[in-house]
Amino acid sequence: MGRPILWTIWYMGALLIVCMGLYDFSSLSNGRVRRILGWGALMGVVIFASVKGYYVYLDHLKIEERGVELTDYQPFTNSPELAKLDSETSIELEGKFPKLDGATALYPVYASFVEALYPDLVEYNPYNVQTSTVVSTTTPEAYNRLLNGQTDIIFVAGPSKRQLQLAEQKEVSLHMTPIGREAFVFFVHEDNPIDSLTMEQVRGIYAGDIRSWDEVGGKSEEIRAFQRPEDSGSQTALQKMMGERKLMEAPVEDVPEGMGGIIQQTSAYQNHKNAIGFSFRYYATEMVSDHKIKLLRIEGIEPTVESIQDGSYPLSSEFYAVTTEENAKQYATFLEWMTEEDGQTLVAKTGYVRLR
């Protein structure tokens, strides 16, 4: 049920109550008047509670749309989900501990860095940007916060064209340290008979040139191609994959805010068995594992640790610890540690692919 419908119901209920207030009850018995007023009041309460409850539900959806509870990976909580080193780390950070932010899918990586190197003295709540040293605000917001000097290092995929332009406008030089490898993946509902697509077929789907699954060997059903909001890590990856091909404009309802939303909608039984979506391999297979999706092979190659590391999977790429050139000097020891044995061990233990 949409907001306009709910507002209509609310106004109708309010109008009913007002009309009852204006009604001439003088010809009715006191008992009947009380009954009418009682039912009217009850109806008003029910309508108000329904509308209020629906908005609480919407707010809950906004929080849950990421598809994962990041506090499951929160440092210093004895979380079994968080990757840990088997021995003391090889370095000790001195001076100011940098503020960290980043993509939802990369929070488990840098949260493990925090537990290995940071003191258990401050708040590490991923959702509280006001008091926490280490948060996860998603890729677009993390880039904005870095460029505005509100955080020190962010963990993200490479920047979009708009983010690079914004950095240039603000005269900020970005310093990008590769810390691991990942696969950009496409997925369909598990009941979809399609198992593999070529790069050209994927581009054709997202350009709007291929509109039915039977054009790529599937059933005669219209393809519902989901996208992500502008400047998100996975939408940027899609745009880079398209090359010179123009990306079609997706309907608003096919642009879920969070990656959890895109996975959930692609796997839903009602109306979405004809869908295709995209994400990053670790997020889709490790952080969100309760949805009925199937990762597609691209050019016949499955996104595995081996194919990602050797680059044979066509959509393999690095992810980064991004900071400013000024901060890169201040935090050089930390950035270098991420690419060395301890940092790479945590990358691999989390479920990502080492640089080497």
Side-chain angles (χ1 to χ4, degrees), residues 78-102:
N78 296 317
S79 169
E81 304 291 338
L82 193 64
K84 299 176 177 64
L85 295 173
D86 295 329
S87 58
E88 291 295 319
T89 186
S90 56
I91 68 166
E92 183 175 333
L93 293 183
E94 298 179 353
K96 176 189 173 186
F97 287 86
K99 294 180 179 179
L100 309 182
D101 196 351

Side-chain angles (χ1 to χ4, degrees), residues 216-282:
V216 292
K219 297 179 180 178
S220 180
E221 293 180 314
E222 182 182 0
I223 298 174
R224 185 171 183 179
F226 283 93
Q227 294 187 40
R228 291 287 316 286
E230 193 74 16
D231 293 332
S232 63
S234 54
Q235 184 72 6
T236 298
L238 176 70
Q239 291 165 340
K240 290 179 179 178
M241 183 216 69
M242 293 295 290
E244 298 300 317
R245 296 285 291 277
K246 181 176 173 57
L247 182 64
M248 69 176 177
E249 185 175 343
V252 173
E253 65 270 21
D254 287 352
V255 186
E257 284 293 329
M259 282 196 290
I262 202 172
I263 291 170
Q264 184 179 39
Q265 292 198 40
T266 302
S267 66
Y269 277 102
Q270 289 187 337
N271 302 324
H272 299 121
K273 283 189 177 182
N274 60 335
I276 183 171
F278 54 83
S279 181
F280 292 104
R281 178 195 61 97
Y282 173 77

Side-chain angles (χ1 to χ4, degrees), residues 45-221:
V45 169
V46 169
I47 291 171
F48 177 80
S50 299
V51 173
K52 180 68 175 177
Y54 181 73
Y55 289 133
V56 169
Y57 171 70
L58 283 181
D59 290 339
H60 174 73
L61 282 183
K62 289 178 183 177
I63 294 171
E64 294 299 318
E65 200 173 32
R66 291 198 194 194
V68 66
E69 179 53 67
L70 292 183
T71 51
D72 289 346
Y73 302 89
Q74 194 167 331
F76 306 110
T77 58
N78 296 317
S79 169
E81 304 291 338
L82 193 64
K84 299 176 177 64
L85 295 173
D86 295 329
S87 58
E88 291 295 319
T89 186
S90 56
I91 68 166
E92 183 175 333
L93 293 183
E94 298 179 353
K96 176 189 173 186
F97 287 86
K99 294 180 179 179
L100 309 182
D101 196 351
T104 302
L106 288 173
Y107 179 76
V109 175
Y110 62 93
S112 73
F113 293 171
V114 169
E115 181 150 306
L117 293 173
Y118 281 45
D120 183 12
L121 298 176
V122 295
E123 182 181 348
Y124 298 109
N125 185 333
Y127 300 118
N128 194 336
V129 296
Q130 301 301 322
T131 62
S132 181
T133 302
V134 180
V135 298
S136 172
T137 62
T138 73
T139 298
E141 183 60 21
Y143 268 107
N144 287 337
R145 295 185 74 234
L146 178 67
L147 295 176
N148 289 321
Q150 297 170 308
T151 193
D152 299 313
I153 303 174
I154 63 173
F155 296 81
V156 286
S160 66
K161 289 182 180 179
R162 195 193 71 84
Q163 286 158 344
L164 288 173
Q165 291 170 352
L166 187 59
E168 186 175 351
Q169 291 171 9
K170 291 180 174 289
E171 299 183 344
V172 175
S173 296
L174 296 178
H175 183 96
M176 300 171 59
T177 302
I179 62 170
R181 292 183 62 79
E182 176 58 316
F184 182 51
V185 298
F186 289 86
F187 49 79
V188 294
H189 191 281
E190 65 176 7
D191 291 342
N192 192 318
I194 296 296
D195 295 313
S196 181
L197 292 172
T198 66
M199 291 281 287
E200 189 56 31
Q201 286 172 331
V202 175
R203 291 189 184 107
I205 289 171
Y206 276 92
D209 298 330
I210 298 175
R211 296 184 176 273
S212 176
W213 283 112
D214 61 3
E215 297 180 59
V216 292
K219 297 179 180 178
S220 180
E221 293 180 314

Side-chain angles (χ1 to χ4, degrees), residues 292-317:
K292 301 177 183 298
I293 62 170
K294 173 175 61 176
L295 301 192
L296 296 175
R297 297 192 299 273
I298 301 296
E299 302 291 353
I301 300 173
E302 187 177 353
T304 64
V305 170
E306 294 74 23
S307 65
I308 296 168
Q309 194 160 55
D310 65 21
S312 59
Y313 178 74
L315 296 173
S316 302
S317 62

